[in-house]
Amino acid sequence: AQSVAQPEDQVNVAEGNPLTVKCTYSVSGNPYLFWYVQYPNRGLQFLLKYITGDNLVKGSYGFEAEFNKSQTSFHLKKPSALVSDSALYFCAVRAVGGGATNKLIFGTGTLLAVQP
Amino acid sequence: NAGVTQTPKFQVLKTGQSMTLQCAQDMNHNSMYWYRQDPGMGLRLIYYSASEGTTDKGEVPNGYNVSRLNKREFSLRLESAAPSQTSVYFCASSEGGGVFELFFGSGTQLSVL
């Protein structure tokens, strides 16, 4: 069965410091990987995705993510955090082929808190 | 461009009551989805519609029904609400296929007493 794990419920970082939000996945086929962000009382917004190609993908608001097939990880990163980055971040995976269901599965979310 | 519009934004029901959550998208997307969001559980797929005229169960379909009324609209019905259905419900749409990202509505906060 396909699954996504976000091992940290919350990540705290000081403004200006680099941030990493971790995500690992388990799928039977090749993964399509996504990151979404949710601000308070809002729906989720798409940040970036990995489909194929370069393992480092760049997305909105200066975020990037690195796909690591051997570690089955897709960590979200930003070189310099802003207070406005404080939000709930979700990793998601869709498996393709290998008998997978092609449904998008979300992790449980990681709350990012950036202190001024 | 409104994107994905959900109504209502808030609703309080008594156990056993029924209601329908409405969702409409104006992006000409093929696929539409209903998710529920619960603390510590992330988002879980209730039902989805890969294209107009088709619907399929997701992870947690029990107690819900859906209707893909046309390409734009996808409704979620609770026939007999239960306290376990207290949640925030999100509708989403996408162009279809695994490559495309989802666009979400702003959510419906439902409380079942």
Side-chain angles (χ1 to χ4, degrees), chain A residues 10-15 19 21 37-40 63 78 81-89 110-116:
Chain A
Q10 183 162 337
V11 169
N12 298 304
V13 64
E15 188 173 32
L19 69 87
V21 182
V37 60
Q38 185 180 30
Y39 298 102
F63 283 93
K78 188 174 182 181
L82 300 172
V83 172
S84 57
D85 293 329
S86 298
L88 188 58
Y89 291 81
T110 298
L111 183 64
L112 175 65
V114 182
Q115 285 84 38

Side-chain angles (χ1 to χ4, degrees), chain A residues 32 36 38 43 49 94 103, chain B residues 37 57 98-99 101-102 105:
Chain A
Y32 291 169
Y36 288 82
Q38 185 180 30
K49 64 183 176 184
R94 190 194 302 266
K103 296 175 186 175
Chain B
Q37 183 178 23
K57 296 178 180 179
V99 177
E101 61 266 30
L102 303 182

Side-chain angles (χ1 to χ4, degrees), chain B residues 54-90:
Chain B
T54 68
T55 60
D56 284 287
K57 296 178 180 179
E59 300 171 79
V60 288
N62 291 343
Y64 305 95
N65 285 301
V66 291
S67 296
R68 183 75 182 265
L69 304 172
N70 48 54
K71 192 172 185 178
R72 289 187 65 249
E73 298 172 287
F74 188 41
S75 63
L76 178 72
R77 183 160 179 84
L78 287 69
E79 290 290 352
S80 178
S84 60
Q85 294 178 305
T86 294
S87 187
V88 181
Y89 292 84
F90 288 100

